[in-house]
């Protein structure tokens, strides 16, 4: 055997350059769909380019940045063999953090880490990310696919992304705008979104022994299909609100639940009361709670319980806000109000029982 043939190689170490190139070829058509006029160049460069001259229309543009992943929901996608929906989750987690301060999402980049590159699988993931960017009104300007043999199993993978947005300095939303008497408007989630899956997986699989292909009558589909329901992307809906009426703050309801995330935008001295009786959480939340004998407080501090985004608006803006959201197909309702802190120890209180 020659020295050349017996030597180590990247392929022998488990990294397939050709498969990576094939994945890039397959994803190109989807990336082209997730663009904006400001994007310069195409896929394949070392960096994505975005024409910042668009910022000249701002008096004092502030760039907003956010990064996130999809968490252990990727394990559901892997077991289901469905890869083109978790990209929506990734985009939603990132752009809806950006829009909380009033920022318009401009562009995203992604990072996909796999144990082995299966080109069609990687392309399906990117397809979902690109479709999510279209829904969010932002561009997908680049990304990275990394093959990590030895660290991840051949079927294992993870995804992450980062986004950049822009907002006029004097239009930044947040706690300093909130006033006593403001209304708390809830926007319905599409389901679990992308948070709490470690609890969900433990309860439904480890404790209850459920199978992903189990038909759940309350869902009208299988358990796996319900768990893979993509995260709703609210960015364009929230931006529409800021154009049609006065908004004081948004809160993206992710890990930590409604109370903890809403508390992040409640100023000292004020308090938000939220009435559970104004909505009914979807059946998936009941299933997790009952299957694991999970107490309501534990569910509420882990899952979104049917609310994916909150808008805090002055009372005179309530009707315009609800009309705008209804026109955009967003299920929304007044769920509470802002009051003086008084004797409340916490910034947010959930009251009453969920509507049946």
């Amino acid at each position: 055997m020659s020295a050349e043939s017996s030597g180590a190689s990247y392929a022998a170490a488990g990294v397939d350059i050709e498969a990576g190139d094939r994945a890039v070829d397959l994803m190109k058509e989807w990336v082209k769909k997730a663009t904006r006029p400001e994007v310069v160049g195409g896929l394949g460069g070392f960096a994505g380019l975005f024409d910042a001259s668009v910022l000249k229309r701002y008096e004092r543009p502030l760039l907003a940045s956010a990064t996130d992943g999809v968490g252990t929901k990727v394990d559901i996608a892997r077991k289901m063999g469905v890869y083109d929906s978790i990209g929506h989750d990734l985009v939603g987690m990132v752009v809806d953090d950006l829009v909380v301060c009033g920022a318009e999402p401009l562009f995203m980049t992604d990072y996909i880490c796999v144990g082995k590159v299966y080109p069609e699988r990687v392309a399906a993931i990117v397809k979902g990310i690109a479709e999510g960017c279209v829904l969010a009104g932002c561009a997908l300007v680049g990304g990275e696919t990394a093959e990590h043999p030895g660290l991840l199993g051949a079927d294992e993978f993870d995804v992450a992304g980062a986004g950049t947005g822009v907002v006029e300095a004097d239009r930044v939303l947040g706690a300093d705008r909130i006033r006593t008497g403001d209304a708390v408007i809830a926007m319905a989630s599409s389901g679990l979104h992308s948070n709490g899956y470690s609890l969900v997986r433990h309860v439904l699989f480890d404790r209850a022994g459920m199978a992903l292909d189990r038909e759940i009558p309350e869902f009208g589909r299988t358990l796996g299909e319900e768990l893979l329901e993509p995260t709703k992307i609210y960015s364009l809906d929230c931006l529409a609100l800021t154009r049609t009426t006065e908004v004081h703050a948004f809160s993206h309801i992710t890990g930590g639940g409604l109370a903890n995330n809403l508390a992040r935008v409640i100023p000292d001295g004020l308090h938000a009361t939220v009435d559970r009786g104004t909505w009914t959480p979807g059946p998936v939340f009941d299933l997790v709670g009952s299957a694991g004998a999970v107490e309501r407080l534990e569910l509420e501090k882990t899952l979104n319980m049917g609310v994916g985004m909150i808008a805090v608006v002055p009372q005179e803006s309530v009707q315009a806000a609800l009309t705008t959201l209804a026109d955009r197909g967003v299920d929304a309702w007044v769920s509470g109000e802002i009051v003086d802190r008084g004797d409340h120890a916490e910034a947010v209180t959930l009251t009453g029982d969920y509507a049946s």
Side-chain angles (χ1 to χ4, degrees), residues 126-263:
V126 174
K127 170 181 178 286
I129 297 172
E131 290 174 338
C133 285
V134 171
L135 293 174
C138 68
L140 180 60
V141 297
E144 171 71 7
T145 300
E147 194 170 21
H148 288 176
L151 294 181
L152 295 175
D155 283 335
E156 294 179 331
F157 67 96
D158 199 8
V159 296
T164 298
V166 61
V167 59
E168 190 70 73
D170 63 4
R171 296 184 63 82
V172 173
L173 305 179
D176 61 315
R177 292 179 179 263
I178 293 179
R179 300 290 183 266
T180 300
D182 283 354
V184 176
I185 294 178
M187 303 179 215
S189 69
S190 56
L192 294 169
H193 284 184
S194 297
N195 302 106
Y197 274 77
S198 293
L199 172 65
V200 170
R201 290 164 53 247
H202 171 67
V203 165
L204 299 184
F205 305 145
D206 299 339
R207 294 191 55 159
M210 293 185 177
L212 287 169
D213 61 357
R214 177 173 174 174
E215 292 285 345
I216 308 293
E218 294 84 356
F219 299 163
R221 54 183 172 178
T222 67
L223 175 62
E225 289 169 335
E226 175 69 23
L227 297 183
L228 274 190
E229 178 66 33
T231 299
K232 182 170 178 57
I233 297 173
Y234 301 93
S235 57
L236 292 182
D237 304 313
C238 291
L239 292 174
L241 277 187
T242 65
R243 291 192 299 268
T244 58
T245 192
E246 183 178 357
V247 178
H248 288 167
F250 290 116
S251 177
H252 188 196
I253 311 306
T254 56
L258 192 156
N260 286 339
N261 281 286
L262 181 54

Side-chain angles (χ1 to χ4, degrees), residues 39-55:
V39 174
V40 178
L43 187 67
F46 285 90
L49 299 176
F50 191 90
D51 185 356
S53 65
V54 67
L55 304 183

Side-chain angles (χ1 to χ4, degrees), residues 247-326:
V247 178
H248 288 167
F250 290 116
S251 177
H252 188 196
I253 311 306
T254 56
L258 192 156
N260 286 339
N261 281 286
L262 181 54
R264 295 165 68 177
V265 297
I266 303 301
D268 293 340
L270 296 184
H271 181 82
T273 61
V274 176
D275 182 3
R276 297 184 184 95
T278 59
W279 81 96
T280 304
V284 68
F285 301 100
D286 289 336
L287 178 64
V288 175
S290 60
V294 184
E295 295 182 358
R296 184 171 71 179
L297 180 60
E298 183 67 21
L299 283 176
E300 290 178 340
K301 72 178 185 180
T302 307
L303 308 178
N304 66 60
M305 300 305 291
V307 176
M309 182 70 77
I310 291 285
V312 181
V313 306
Q315 287 291 339
E316 58 270 23
S317 295
V318 168
Q319 192 53 56
L322 293 176
T323 297
T324 295
L325 292 171

Side-chain angles (χ1 to χ4, degrees), residues 90-143:
L90 179 62
V91 175
M93 290 297 100
V94 172
V95 300
D96 288 338
D97 277 353
L98 291 175
V99 82
V100 162
C101 68
E104 175 190 359
L106 298 175
F107 57 84
M108 274 192 66
T109 56
D110 64 63
Y111 176 76
I112 304 171
C113 180
V114 300
K116 177 178 175 59
V117 172
Y118 296 101
E120 290 76 14
R121 182 180 301 179
V122 172
I125 295 172
V126 174
K127 170 181 178 286
I129 297 172
E131 290 174 338
C133 285
V134 171
L135 293 174
C138 68
L140 180 60
V141 297

